[in-house]
Amino acid sequence: MTAAAPAVPASAAAPAPVPFLAADVGGTHVRVARVQASNDPAHPVQVLEYRKFRNAEYPGLSAILDTFLADGQRPAHCVVATAGVAREDGTVITANVPWPLSARRIEQDVGLEHVFIVNDFEAVAYAAAQVDASGVLQLTGPATAPRGPTLVVGPGTGLGAAVWIPTPHGPVVLATEAGQPTLAVSTELEMAIVRQMQREHAHVSVEHALSGPGLMNLYRALCALNGQTPTLASPDAITAAAMANTDALARESLQVFCGLLGSTIGDMALQYGASGGVYLAGGILPQIREFLLNSSFVARYLNKGPMREALERIPVKVVEHGQLGVIGAASWYLGRTQA
């Protein structure tokens, strides 16, 4: 599944760096940057200006881009990375963004020549290949791996995933909807949680557990199974209580989350042949890094029978670069204009 966008005009590729906009649209925040090509092949994107906006404070992406640009010079082009599937007409099929997105409408509203839309984790996959070792937390596997397909996964408002595939003619990125398949569980407790979730959802997907809202689902299900009334009202409250060890069900919820995440990532690494490594991105993971390190994540990731040996050869790292989405979107754009 690849992002649909109009062909980038040949005139967009100019010898001198031309600034353009890159935006990363999530379910809660939009990150916007004015960027341009750099002269560094290892880090081809130079960020000139960067801001973060709360979605709830704006009626749509056009208003956010207008605020970012203010009275300054308007670039010709903008690339938008967003959760979902970009269609040929410039609109997006998505379950996690609070307002409709349309490339053509944004062009008209903001006064831009061309707006391009790409799947957010397809964009992140382009950026993850450029992350320095200092920008990651190693969870398991060797420090490095041979050049090969690299999986990028991130639980945030939903769960996104993409695969970066090297080829002799440059990298290819496969965008996926890996958050939408049915959640696979292994333990009696996980089975009981899914049965509880099925009272509200006919289809319990991966992201019904492995996302910020998914963590809330796990917590509410555990409360119901234990005959208790939920007292925590947000994923942040659950993670804070779990790490402070002030709420037993919050801690159990986060433990279940980490175990399911490890098992799911192991499945995905095998399904996609991710011999080049696995990068975990997304808002929730940097907040729980110590908890994740001490959880059942690695044990569940490796628990794949005879395939354990194959998984032990794959590095698994948490990416902690706050601008990863916009850098990835910009990298995706530059790969098309400079080709």
Side-chain angles (χ1 to χ4, degrees), residues 99-258:
W99 4 257
L101 288 176
S102 165
R104 308 291 81 79
R105 180 63 182 269
I106 295 168
E107 289 166 359
Q108 295 170 10
D109 291 347
V110 186
L112 303 169
E113 289 184 16
H114 294 282
V115 172
F116 309 93
I117 296 181
V118 59
N119 173 270
D120 59 343
F121 267 83
E122 182 177 0
V124 167
Y126 280 101
Q130 306 168 30
V131 175
D132 294 326
S134 60
V136 299
L137 168 68
Q138 182 94 21
L139 292 175
T140 186
T144 61
R147 185 176 172 86
T150 300
L151 174 65
V152 182
V153 185
T157 304
L159 182 128
V163 186
W164 182 88
I165 305 168
T167 78
H169 307 290
V172 172
V173 172
L174 173 66
T176 80
E177 287 297 327
Q180 303 309 315
T182 303
L183 177 68
V185 296
S186 302
T187 70
E188 290 293 334
L189 177 59
E190 291 168 359
M191 293 176 192
I193 288 172
V194 167
R195 285 193 293 270
Q196 182 65 34
M197 287 185 182
Q198 285 174 332
R199 297 185 178 189
E200 298 181 14
H201 306 282
H203 168 233
V204 178
S205 69
V206 170
E207 70 176 29
H208 277 140
L210 298 179
S211 62
L215 181 57
M216 287 297 306
N217 291 337
L218 294 175
Y219 170 70
R220 292 191 186 110
L222 282 169
C223 286
L225 291 171
N226 285 274
Q228 296 189 23
T229 301
T231 59
L232 302 172
S234 72
D236 285 345
I238 294 170
T239 55
M243 291 188 292
N245 203 17
T246 57
D247 186 299
L249 288 179
R251 192 167 184 84
E252 188 172 22
S253 300
L254 198 56
Q255 288 169 342
V256 170
F257 178 94
C258 292

Side-chain angles (χ1 to χ4, degrees), residues 1-338:
M1 196 179 304
T2 57
V8 178
S11 60
V18 177
F20 60 97
L21 290 184
D24 175 30
V25 179
T28 306
H29 294 96
V30 171
R31 296 164 175 84
V32 185
R34 192 188 300 269
V35 297
Q36 67 182 27
S38 73
N39 294 318
D40 180 1
H43 303 89
V45 177
Q46 180 182 2
V47 178
L48 306 174
E49 182 184 359
Y50 173 84
R51 287 182 64 185
K52 180 177 174 180
F53 301 85
R54 285 189 60 83
N55 295 2
E57 297 174 4
Y58 296 88
L61 181 58
S62 295
I64 290 174
L65 295 178
D66 263 331
T67 301
F68 178 83
L69 291 168
D71 297 327
Q73 184 176 4
R74 310 230 151 186
H77 292 176
C78 174
V79 55
V80 177
T82 183
V85 181
R87 296 189 286 200
E88 293 291 342
D89 64 359
T91 60
V92 178
I93 302 171
T94 181
N96 296 315
V97 175
W99 4 257
L101 288 176
S102 165
R104 308 291 81 79
R105 180 63 182 269
I106 295 168
E107 289 166 359
Q108 295 170 10
D109 291 347
V110 186
L112 303 169
E113 289 184 16
H114 294 282
V115 172
F116 309 93
I117 296 181
V118 59
N119 173 270
D120 59 343
F121 267 83
E122 182 177 0
V124 167
Y126 280 101
Q130 306 168 30
V131 175
D132 294 326
S134 60
V136 299
L137 168 68
Q138 182 94 21
L139 292 175
T140 186
T144 61
R147 185 176 172 86
T150 300
L151 174 65
V152 182
V153 185
T157 304
L159 182 128
V163 186
W164 182 88
I165 305 168
T167 78
H169 307 290
V172 172
V173 172
L174 173 66
T176 80
E177 287 297 327
Q180 303 309 315
T182 303
L183 177 68
V185 296
S186 302
T187 70
E188 290 293 334
L189 177 59
E190 291 168 359
M191 293 176 192
I193 288 172
V194 167
R195 285 193 293 270
Q196 182 65 34
M197 287 185 182
Q198 285 174 332
R199 297 185 178 189
E200 298 181 14
H201 306 282
H203 168 233
V204 178
S205 69
V206 170
E207 70 176 29
H208 277 140
L210 298 179
S211 62
L215 181 57
M216 287 297 306
N217 291 337
L218 294 175
Y219 170 70
R220 292 191 186 110
L222 282 169
C223 286
L225 291 171
N226 285 274
Q228 296 189 23
T229 301
T231 59
L232 302 172
S234 72
D236 285 345
I238 294 170
T239 55
M243 291 188 292
N245 203 17
T246 57
D247 186 299
L249 288 179
R251 192 167 184 84
E252 188 172 22
S253 300
L254 198 56
Q255 288 169 342
V256 170
F257 178 94
C258 292
L260 283 171
L261 183 64
S263 184
T264 301
I265 296 300
D267 289 343
M268 293 172 65
L270 294 174
Q271 289 163 349
Y272 294 119
S275 58
V278 177
Y279 285 106
L280 303 180
I284 191 171
L285 298 182
Q287 301 173 40
I288 64 168
R289 52 181 293 165
E290 295 303 321
F291 195 101
L292 188 64
L293 276 170
N294 294 295
S295 74
S296 63
F297 174 92
V298 173
R300 293 286 297 275
Y301 166 78
L302 294 173
N303 187 26
K304 302 299 175 187
M307 290 296 101
R308 178 188 182 98
E309 183 178 354
L311 291 173
E312 286 176 336
R313 300 175 182 176
I314 299 175
V316 181
K317 305 175 182 181
V318 176
V319 178
E320 299 190 86
H321 195 313
Q323 298 178 8
L324 203 62
V326 295
I327 290 174
S331 298
W332 177 91
Y333 170 87
L334 290 172
R336 279 148 182 77
T337 61
Q338 297 180 346

